[in-house]
Coordinates of all heavy atoms in Angstrom, one line a residue:
A30 N 5.3 -1.1 -10.5 CA 5.1 -0.9 -9.1 C 6.2 -1.6 -8.3 O 6.8 -1.0 -7.4 CB 3.7 -1.4 -8.6
V31 N 6.6 -2.8 -8.7 CA 7.6 -3.5 -8.1 C 9.0 -2.8 -8.2 O 9.7 -2.6 -7.3 CB 7.7 -5.0 -8.6 CG1 9.0 -5.7 -8.1 CG2 6.5 -5.8 -8.3
C32 N 9.2 -2.3 -9.4 CA 10.5 -1.6 -9.7 C 10.6 -0.4 -8.8 O 11.7 -0.1 -8.3 CB 10.6 -1.2 -11.1 SG 10.8 -2.6 -12.2
L33 N 9.5 0.4 -8.7 CA 9.6 1.6 -7.8 C 9.9 1.2 -6.4 O 10.7 1.9 -5.7 CB 8.2 2.3 -7.9 CG 7.9 3.0 -9.2 CD1 6.5 3.6 -9.2 CD2 8.9 4.1 -9.5
G34 N 9.3 0.1 -5.9 CA 9.6 -0.3 -4.5 C 11.1 -0.7 -4.4 O 11.7 -0.5 -3.3
L35 N 11.6 -1.4 -5.4 CA 13.0 -1.9 -5.3 C 14.0 -0.8 -5.4 O 15.1 -0.8 -4.8 CB 13.2 -3.0 -6.3 CG 12.5 -4.3 -6.2 CD1 12.7 -5.2 -7.4 CD2 12.8 -5.0 -4.9
L36 N 13.7 0.2 -6.3 CA 14.6 1.3 -6.5 C 14.8 2.2 -5.3 O 15.8 2.8 -5.1 CB 14.2 2.1 -7.8 CG 14.3 1.4 -9.1 CD1 13.8 2.2 -10.2 CD2 15.8 1.0 -9.4
R37 N 13.7 2.4 -4.6 CA 13.7 3.4 -3.5 C 14.2 4.7 -3.9 O 14.8 5.5 -3.1 CB 14.5 2.8 -2.3 CG 14.0 1.5 -1.7 CD 14.8 1.1 -0.5 NE 14.9 2.1 0.5 CZ 14.2 2.3 1.5 NH1 13.2 1.4 1.7 NH2 14.4 3.2 2.4
Y38 N 14.0 5.1 -5.1 CA 14.5 6.3 -5.7 C 13.3 7.3 -5.8 O 12.2 6.9 -6.3 CB 15.1 6.1 -7.1 CG 15.6 7.3 -7.7 CD1 16.8 7.9 -7.2 CD2 15.0 7.9 -8.8 CE1 17.3 9.1 -7.8 CE2 15.4 9.1 -9.4 CZ 16.6 9.6 -8.9 OH 17.1 10.8 -9.4
E39 N 13.5 8.5 -5.4 CA 12.5 9.5 -5.6 C 11.2 9.1 -4.9 O 10.1 9.0 -5.5 CB 12.2 9.9 -7.0 CG 13.4 10.6 -7.7 CD 13.7 12.0 -7.0 OE1 12.8 12.7 -6.6 OE2 14.9 12.3 -7.0
I40 N 11.3 8.7 -3.6 CA 10.2 8.2 -2.9 C 9.0 9.1 -2.9 O 7.9 8.7 -3.2 CB 10.6 7.9 -1.4 CG1 11.6 6.8 -1.4 CG2 9.4 7.6 -0.6 CD1 12.2 6.5 0.0
S41 N 9.2 10.4 -2.8 CA 8.1 11.3 -2.8 C 7.3 11.3 -4.1 O 6.1 11.5 -4.1 CB 8.6 12.7 -2.5 OG 9.5 13.2 -3.5
S42 N 7.9 11.0 -5.2 CA 7.2 11.0 -6.5 C 6.6 9.6 -6.7 O 5.6 9.5 -7.5 CB 8.1 11.4 -7.6 OG 9.2 10.5 -7.8
A43 N 7.1 8.5 -6.1 CA 6.6 7.2 -6.3 C 5.3 6.9 -5.5 O 4.4 6.2 -6.0 CB 7.6 6.2 -6.0
V44 N 5.3 7.4 -4.3 CA 4.2 7.1 -3.4 C 2.8 7.5 -4.0 O 1.9 6.6 -3.9 CB 4.4 7.8 -2.0 CG1 3.2 7.6 -1.1 CG2 5.6 7.2 -1.3
P45 N 2.6 8.6 -4.5 CA 1.2 8.9 -5.1 C 0.8 7.9 -6.1 O -0.4 7.4 -6.2 CB 1.4 10.3 -5.7 CG 2.5 10.9 -4.9 CD 3.4 9.8 -4.6
F46 N 1.7 7.5 -7.0 CA 1.4 6.5 -8.0 C 1.0 5.2 -7.4 O 0.0 4.5 -7.8 CB 2.6 6.3 -9.0 CG 2.4 5.0 -9.8 CD1 1.6 5.0 -10.9 CD2 3.2 3.9 -9.5 CE1 1.5 3.8 -11.7 CE2 3.0 2.7 -10.2 CZ 2.2 2.7 -11.3
L47 N 1.8 4.7 -6.4 CA 1.5 3.5 -5.8 C 0.2 3.5 -5.0 O -0.5 2.5 -5.0 CB 2.7 3.1 -4.8 CG 4.0 2.8 -5.6 CD1 5.2 2.7 -4.6 CD2 3.9 1.6 -6.4
K48 N -0.1 4.6 -4.4 CA -1.4 4.8 -3.6 C -2.6 4.6 -4.6 O -3.5 3.9 -4.3 CB -1.5 6.1 -3.0 CG -0.6 6.2 -1.7 CD -0.6 7.6 -1.1 CE -1.6 8.6 -1.3 NZ -1.4 9.8 -0.5
V49 N -2.5 5.2 -5.8 CA -3.6 5.1 -6.7 C -3.6 3.7 -7.2 O -4.7 3.1 -7.4 CB -3.3 6.1 -7.9 CG1 -4.3 5.8 -9.1 CG2 -3.5 7.5 -7.4
A50 N -2.5 3.1 -7.5 CA -2.5 1.7 -8.0 C -3.1 0.7 -7.1 O -3.9 -0.2 -7.5 CB -1.0 1.3 -8.4
V51 N -2.8 0.8 -5.8 CA -3.4 -0.1 -4.8 C -4.8 0.1 -4.6 O -5.6 -0.8 -4.3 CB -2.5 -0.2 -3.5 CG1 -2.8 1.1 -2.7 CG2 -2.8 -1.4 -2.7
A52 N -5.3 1.4 -4.6 CA -6.6 1.7 -4.3 C -7.6 1.5 -5.4 O -8.8 1.3 -5.1 CB -6.7 3.2 -3.9
D53 N -7.2 1.5 -6.6 CA -8.2 1.3 -7.7 C -8.6 -0.1 -7.9 O -7.8 -0.9 -8.4 CB -7.5 1.9 -9.0 CG -8.5 2.0 -10.2 OD1 -9.6 1.4 -10.1 OD2 -8.2 2.6 -11.2
A54 N -9.8 -0.4 -7.5 CA -10.3 -1.8 -7.6 C -10.4 -2.3 -9.0 O -10.5 -3.5 -9.3 CB -11.7 -1.9 -6.9
K55 N -10.3 -1.4 -10.0 CA -10.3 -1.8 -11.4 C -9.0 -2.4 -11.9 O -8.9 -3.1 -12.9 CB -10.7 -0.7 -12.3 CG -12.1 -0.2 -12.1 CD -12.4 1.0 -13.0 CE -13.8 1.6 -12.6 NZ -14.0 2.9 -13.3
N56 N -7.9 -2.1 -11.1 CA -6.6 -2.7 -11.5 C -6.6 -4.2 -11.2 O -7.3 -4.7 -10.3 CB -5.5 -2.0 -10.7 CG -5.3 -0.6 -11.2 OD1 -5.5 -0.3 -12.3 ND2 -4.8 0.3 -10.3
E57 N -5.7 -4.9 -11.9 CA -5.5 -6.3 -11.7 C -5.0 -6.5 -10.3 O -4.2 -5.7 -9.7 CB -4.5 -6.9 -12.7 CG -5.0 -6.9 -14.1 CD -4.0 -7.7 -15.0 OE1 -3.2 -8.5 -14.5 OE2 -4.1 -7.4 -16.2
L58 N -5.3 -7.6 -9.7 CA -4.9 -8.0 -8.4 C -3.3 -8.0 -8.3 O -2.8 -7.5 -7.3 CB -5.4 -9.4 -8.0 CG -5.0 -9.9 -6.6 CD1 -5.3 -9.0 -5.5 CD2 -5.5 -11.3 -6.4
R59 N -2.6 -8.5 -9.3 CA -1.2 -8.5 -9.3 C -0.6 -7.1 -9.1 O 0.3 -6.9 -8.3 CB -0.6 -9.1 -10.6 CG -0.7 -10.5 -10.7 CD 0.0 -11.0 -11.9 NE -0.4 -10.2 -13.0 CZ -0.1 -10.5 -14.3 NH1 0.4 -11.6 -14.6 NH2 -0.5 -9.7 -15.3
L60 N -1.2 -6.1 -9.8 CA -0.7 -4.7 -9.7 C -1.0 -4.2 -8.4 O -0.1 -3.5 -7.8 CB -1.3 -3.9 -10.8 CG -1.0 -2.4 -10.7 CD1 0.5 -2.1 -10.9 CD2 -1.8 -1.6 -11.8
R61 N -2.2 -4.4 -7.9 CA -2.5 -3.9 -6.5 C -1.6 -4.4 -5.4 O -1.2 -3.7 -4.6 CB -4.0 -4.1 -6.3 CG -4.9 -3.4 -7.2 CD -6.4 -3.7 -7.0 NE -6.8 -2.9 -5.8 CZ -7.9 -3.1 -5.2 NH1 -8.7 -4.2 -5.5 NH2 -8.2 -2.4 -4.1
R62 N -1.4 -5.8 -5.5 CA -0.5 -6.4 -4.5 C 0.9 -5.8 -4.6 O 1.6 -5.5 -3.6 CB -0.5 -7.9 -4.7 CG -1.8 -8.5 -4.2 CD -1.7 -10.0 -4.2 NE -0.7 -10.4 -3.2 CZ -0.1 -11.6 -3.2 NH1 -0.3 -12.5 -4.2 NH2 0.8 -11.9 -2.3
A63 N 1.4 -5.7 -5.9 CA 2.8 -5.2 -6.1 C 2.9 -3.8 -5.6 O 3.9 -3.4 -4.9 CB 3.1 -5.2 -7.6
A64 N 1.9 -3.0 -5.8 CA 1.9 -1.6 -5.2 C 1.9 -1.6 -3.7 O 2.7 -0.8 -3.1 CB 0.7 -0.8 -5.8
A65 N 1.1 -2.4 -3.1 CA 1.1 -2.5 -1.6 C 2.4 -2.9 -1.1 O 3.0 -2.3 -0.2 CB 0.0 -3.4 -1.2
E66 N 3.0 -3.9 -1.7 CA 4.2 -4.5 -1.2 C 5.4 -3.5 -1.5 O 6.3 -3.4 -0.7 CB 4.5 -5.8 -1.9 CG 3.6 -6.9 -1.4 CD 3.5 -8.1 -2.3 OE1 4.4 -8.3 -3.2 OE2 2.7 -9.0 -2.0
S67 N 5.3 -2.7 -2.6 CA 6.3 -1.7 -2.8 C 6.3 -0.6 -1.8 O 7.3 -0.1 -1.4 CB 6.1 -1.2 -4.3 OG 6.4 -2.2 -5.2
L68 N 5.1 -0.2 -1.4 CA 4.9 0.8 -0.4 C 5.6 0.3 0.9 O 6.3 1.1 1.6 CB 3.5 1.1 -0.1 CG 2.8 2.0 -1.2 CD1 1.3 2.0 -1.1 CD2 3.3 3.4 -1.2
G69 N 5.4 -1.0 1.2 CA 6.0 -1.5 2.4 C 7.5 -1.5 2.3 O 8.2 -1.3 3.3
K70 N 8.1 -1.8 1.1 CA 9.5 -1.8 0.9 C 10.1 -0.4 1.1 O 11.2 -0.2 1.5 CB 9.9 -2.4 -0.4 CG 9.7 -3.9 -0.4 CD 10.0 -4.4 -1.8 CE 9.7 -5.9 -1.7 NZ 9.7 -6.5 -3.0
L71 N 9.3 0.6 0.7 CA 9.7 2.0 0.9 C 9.8 2.4 2.4 O 10.4 3.3 2.7 CB 8.8 3.0 0.1 CG 8.8 2.8 -1.4 CD1 7.8 3.7 -2.0 CD2 10.2 3.1 -1.9
G72 N 9.0 1.7 3.2 CA 9.1 1.9 4.6 C 8.3 3.1 5.1 O 7.4 3.6 4.5
K73 N 8.8 3.6 6.2 CA 8.1 4.7 6.9 C 8.0 6.0 6.0 O 7.2 6.8 6.2 CB 8.8 5.0 8.2 CG 8.6 3.8 9.2 CD 9.2 4.1 10.5 CE 9.0 2.9 11.4 NZ 9.4 3.0 12.7
E74 N 8.9 6.1 5.0 CA 8.8 7.2 4.1 C 7.5 7.2 3.3 O 7.1 8.2 2.8 CB 10.0 7.2 3.1 CG 11.3 7.4 3.8 CD 12.0 6.1 4.2 OE1 11.3 5.0 4.1 OE2 13.2 6.1 4.5
A75 N 6.9 6.0 3.2 CA 5.6 5.9 2.4 C 4.4 5.8 3.4 O 3.3 5.5 2.9 CB 5.7 4.7 1.5
A76 N 4.6 6.0 4.6 CA 3.6 5.9 5.6 C 2.4 6.8 5.4 O 1.3 6.6 5.9 CB 4.1 6.0 7.0
E77 N 2.6 7.8 4.6 CA 1.4 8.7 4.3 C 0.3 8.0 3.5 O -0.8 8.4 3.5 CB 1.9 9.9 3.4 CG 2.3 9.4 2.0 CD 2.7 10.6 1.1 OE1 3.7 11.2 1.4 OE2 2.1 10.8 0.1
S78 N 0.6 6.8 3.0 CA -0.4 6.0 2.3 C -1.2 5.1 3.3 O -2.1 4.4 2.9 CB 0.3 5.1 1.3 OG 1.2 4.2 2.0
S79 N -1.0 5.3 4.6 CA -1.7 4.4 5.6 C -3.2 4.5 5.5 O -3.9 3.5 5.6 CB -1.2 4.8 7.0 OG 0.1 4.4 7.2
S80 N -3.7 5.7 5.4 CA -5.2 5.9 5.3 C -5.8 5.2 4.1 O -6.8 4.6 4.1 CB -5.6 7.3 5.4 OG -5.1 8.1 4.4
V81 N -5.1 5.3 2.9 CA -5.5 4.7 1.7 C -5.5 3.1 1.9 O -6.4 2.4 1.5 CB -4.7 5.1 0.5 CG1 -5.0 4.2 -0.7 CG2 -4.9 6.5 0.2
L82 N -4.4 2.7 2.5 CA -4.3 1.2 2.7 C -5.4 0.7 3.7 O -5.9 -0.4 3.5 CB -2.9 0.9 3.3 CG -1.8 1.1 2.3 CD1 -0.4 0.9 3.0 CD2 -1.9 0.2 1.1
G83 N -5.7 1.5 4.7 CA -6.8 1.2 5.6 C -8.1 1.0 4.9 O -8.9 0.1 5.1
S84 N -8.4 1.9 4.0 CA -9.6 1.9 3.2 C -9.6 0.6 2.3 O -10.7 0.0 2.1 CB -9.7 3.1 2.3 OG -9.8 4.3 3.1
V85 N -8.5 0.3 1.7 CA -8.4 -0.9 0.8 C -8.7 -2.1 1.7 O -9.4 -3.0 1.3 CB -7.1 -1.0 0.1 CG1 -6.9 -2.3 -0.6 CG2 -6.9 0.2 -0.9
L86 N -8.1 -2.1 2.8 CA -8.2 -3.3 3.7 C -9.7 -3.6 4.1 O -10.1 -4.7 4.2 CB -7.4 -3.1 5.0 CG -7.3 -4.2 6.0 CD1 -6.6 -5.4 5.3 CD2 -6.5 -3.7 7.2
T87 N -10.5 -2.5 4.3 CA -11.8 -2.7 4.8 C -12.9 -2.7 3.7 O -14.1 -2.8 3.9 CB -12.2 -1.6 5.8 OG1 -12.0 -0.4 5.2 CG2 -11.3 -1.8 7.0
A88 N -12.5 -2.4 2.4 CA -13.4 -2.3 1.3 C -14.0 -3.7 1.0 O -13.4 -4.7 1.1 CB -12.7 -1.8 0.1
K89 N -15.3 -3.7 0.7 CA -16.0 -4.9 0.4 C -15.4 -5.4 -0.9 O -15.1 -4.6 -1.8 CB -17.5 -4.7 0.1 CG -18.3 -4.6 1.4 CD -19.8 -4.6 1.1 CE -20.6 -4.8 2.4 NZ -22.0 -5.0 2.1
G90 N -15.2 -6.7 -1.0 CA -14.7 -7.3 -2.2 C -13.2 -7.3 -2.3 O -12.7 -7.8 -3.3
T91 N -12.5 -6.8 -1.3 CA -11.0 -6.8 -1.4 C -10.6 -8.3 -1.3 O -10.9 -8.9 -0.3 CB -10.4 -5.9 -0.3 OG1 -10.8 -4.6 -0.5 CG2 -8.9 -6.0 -0.4
P92 N -9.8 -8.8 -2.2 CA -9.4 -10.2 -2.2 C -8.5 -10.4 -1.0 O -7.7 -9.5 -0.5 CB -8.6 -10.3 -3.5 CG -9.0 -9.2 -4.4 CD -9.4 -8.1 -3.5
P93 N -8.6 -11.6 -0.4 CA -7.7 -11.9 0.8 C -6.3 -11.7 0.6 O -5.6 -11.3 1.5 CB -8.1 -13.4 1.1 CG -9.4 -13.7 0.4 CD -9.5 -12.7 -0.8
E94 N -5.8 -12.1 -0.7 CA -4.4 -11.9 -0.9 C -3.9 -10.4 -0.8 O -2.8 -10.1 -0.4 CB -4.0 -12.4 -2.3 CG -4.4 -13.8 -2.6 CD -5.8 -14.0 -3.3 OE1 -6.7 -13.2 -2.9 OE2 -5.9 -14.8 -4.1
L95 N -4.8 -9.5 -1.3 CA -4.5 -8.1 -1.2 C -4.6 -7.7 0.3 O -3.7 -6.9 0.7 CB -5.4 -7.3 -2.1 CG -5.2 -5.8 -2.1 CD1 -3.8 -5.4 -2.5 CD2 -6.2 -5.1 -3.0
R96 N -5.5 -8.2 1.0 CA -5.6 -7.8 2.4 C -4.3 -8.2 3.2 O -3.8 -7.4 4.0 CB -6.8 -8.5 3.1 CG -8.1 -8.0 2.6 CD -9.3 -8.7 3.4 NE -10.5 -8.5 2.7 CZ -11.4 -7.5 3.0 NH1 -11.1 -6.7 4.0 NH2 -12.5 -7.4 2.3
I97 N -3.8 -9.3 2.9 CA -2.5 -9.8 3.5 C -1.4 -8.8 3.1 O -0.6 -8.4 4.0 CB -2.2 -11.2 3.1 CG1 -3.2 -12.2 3.8 CG2 -0.8 -11.6 3.5 CD1 -3.2 -13.6 3.2
S98 N -1.3 -8.5 1.9 CA -0.2 -7.5 1.4 C -0.4 -6.2 2.1 O 0.6 -5.6 2.6 CB -0.3 -7.3 -0.1 OG 0.0 -8.5 -0.7
V99 N -1.6 -5.7 2.3 CA -1.8 -4.4 2.9 C -1.5 -4.5 4.4 O -0.8 -3.6 4.9 CB -3.3 -4.0 2.7 CG1 -3.7 -2.8 3.6 CG2 -3.5 -3.6 1.3
M100 N -1.9 -5.6 5.1 CA -1.5 -5.7 6.5 C 0.0 -5.8 6.7 O 0.5 -5.2 7.6 CB -2.2 -7.0 7.1 CG -3.7 -6.8 7.3 SD -4.1 -5.5 8.4 CE -3.4 -6.0 9.9
T101 N 0.7 -6.5 5.8 CA 2.1 -6.6 5.9 C 2.7 -5.2 5.8 O 3.7 -4.9 6.5 CB 2.7 -7.6 4.9 OG1 2.0 -8.8 5.1 CG2 4.2 -7.7 4.9
T102 N 2.2 -4.4 4.8 CA 2.7 -3.1 4.6 C 2.5 -2.2 5.8 O 3.4 -1.5 6.3 CB 2.1 -2.5 3.3 OG1 2.5 -3.3 2.2 CG2 2.5 -1.0 3.1
L103 N 1.3 -2.2 6.4 CA 0.9 -1.4 7.5 C 1.8 -1.8 8.7 O 2.3 -1.0 9.5 CB -0.5 -1.6 7.9 CG -1.5 -0.9 6.9 CD1 -2.9 -1.3 7.3 CD2 -1.3 0.6 6.9
D104 N 2.1 -3.1 8.8 CA 3.0 -3.6 9.9 C 4.4 -3.0 9.7 O 5.1 -2.6 10.6 CB 3.1 -5.1 9.9 CG 4.0 -5.6 11.0 OD1 3.8 -5.2 12.2 OD2 4.9 -6.4 10.7
A105 N 4.9 -2.9 8.4 CA 6.2 -2.3 8.1 C 6.3 -0.8 8.5 O 7.3 -0.3 8.9 CB 6.5 -2.5 6.6
F106 N 5.1 -0.2 8.5 CA 5.1 1.3 8.8 C 5.2 1.5 10.3 O 5.5 2.6 10.8 CB 3.8 1.9 8.3 CG 3.7 2.0 6.8 CD1 2.5 2.3 6.2 CD2 4.8 1.9 6.0 CE1 2.4 2.4 4.8 CE2 4.7 1.9 4.6 CZ 3.5 2.2 4.0
G107 N 4.9 0.4 11.1 CA 4.9 0.6 12.6 C 3.9 1.6 13.1 O 2.8 1.7 12.6
Q108 N 4.3 2.4 14.0 CA 3.5 3.4 14.6 C 3.0 4.5 13.6 O 2.1 5.2 13.8 CB 4.1 4.1 15.8 CG 4.2 3.2 17.0 CD 4.7 3.9 18.2 OE1 5.1 5.0 18.2 NE2 4.6 3.2 19.3
E109 N 3.8 4.6 12.5 CA 3.5 5.6 11.4 C 2.2 5.2 10.7 O 1.6 6.0 9.9 CB 4.6 5.7 10.4 CG 5.9 6.1 11.1 CD 5.9 7.5 11.7 OE1 5.2 8.4 11.1 OE2 6.4 7.7 12.8
A110 N 1.7 4.0 11.0 CA 0.4 3.5 10.3 C -0.8 4.0 11.0 O -1.9 3.6 10.7 CB 0.4 2.0 10.2
K111 N -0.7 4.8 12.0 CA -1.9 5.3 12.8 C -3.0 5.8 11.9 O -4.2 5.7 12.3 CB -1.5 6.3 13.8 CG -0.7 5.6 15.0 CD -0.4 6.7 16.1 CE 0.3 6.0 17.2 NZ 0.8 7.0 18.2
P112 N -2.7 6.5 10.8 CA -3.9 7.0 10.0 C -4.8 5.9 9.5 O -5.9 6.2 9.1 CB -3.2 7.7 8.9 CG -1.9 8.2 9.4 CD -1.5 7.0 10.3
A113 N -4.4 4.7 9.5 CA -5.2 3.6 9.1 C -6.2 3.1 10.1 O -7.2 2.5 9.8 CB -4.4 2.4 8.7
I114 N -6.0 3.5 11.4 CA -6.9 3.1 12.4 C -8.3 3.4 12.2 O -9.2 2.5 12.4 CB -6.3 3.6 13.8 CG1 -5.0 2.9 14.1 CG2 -7.4 3.3 14.9 CD1 -4.3 3.4 15.3
P115 N -8.7 4.6 11.8 CA -10.2 4.9 11.7 C -10.8 3.9 10.7 O -12.0 3.6 10.9 CB -10.2 6.3 11.1 CG -8.9 6.9 11.7 CD -7.9 5.8 11.6
A116 N -10.1 3.5 9.7 CA -10.7 2.6 8.7 C -10.9 1.2 9.3 O -11.8 0.4 8.8 CB -9.9 2.5 7.5
L117 N -10.2 0.9 10.3 CA -10.2 -0.5 10.9 C -11.3 -0.5 12.1 O -11.6 -1.6 12.5 CB -8.9 -0.8 11.5 CG -7.7 -0.8 10.5 CD1 -6.4 -1.1 11.1 CD2 -8.0 -1.9 9.4
I118 N -11.8 0.6 12.5 CA -12.7 0.6 13.6 C -14.2 0.5 13.1 O -14.5 1.0 12.1 CB -12.5 1.9 14.5 CG1 -11.2 1.8 15.1 CG2 -13.6 1.9 15.5 CD1 -10.8 3.0 15.9

């Protein structure tokens, strides 16, 4: 997940993998955080993941460390993070 974020290569093919990695509560916290942070590094090109990130942010049992990573990523998306708003209300 970290490598995909750093490479910024083939963004359209990396985003679906990263969305699944961050959303799956069965994954290790390190992987989920790395996926969220990688989406943030991809920037607005990965903003389609905003609704998934919003769901992760509000899910019961989401660790605080992951919530921080998700919020940082949504902040990086700027106004493109609007799809996350329904999950936050």
Side-chain angles (χ1 to χ4, degrees):
V31 173
C32 291
L33 290 173
L35 293 175
L36 291 175
R37 297 183 53 97
Y38 181 73
E39 294 296 324
I40 291 171
S41 60
S42 63
V44 171
F46 165 76
L47 294 171
K48 285 174 22 178
V49 169
V51 74
D53 189 347
K55 294 177 187 173
N56 286 334
E57 289 186 25
L58 177 59
R59 285 185 315 194
L60 174 61
R61 296 179 78 196
R62 287 188 66 203
E66 292 166 5
S67 294
L68 286 166
K70 289 177 182 167
L71 294 174
K73 294 183 181 182
E74 295 91 347
E77 70 180 62
S78 63
S79 294
S80 59
V81 170
L82 293 171
S84 297
V85 170
L86 185 64
T87 59
K89 279 190 170 187
T91 298
E94 303 94 320
L95 181 56
R96 290 180 196 268
I97 291 168
S98 296
V99 167
M100 285 300 298
T101 302
T102 295
L103 289 172
D104 182 53
F106 294 163
Q108 289 188 351
E109 301 297 320
K111 286 182 182 178
I114 293 173
L117 302 174
I118 295 176

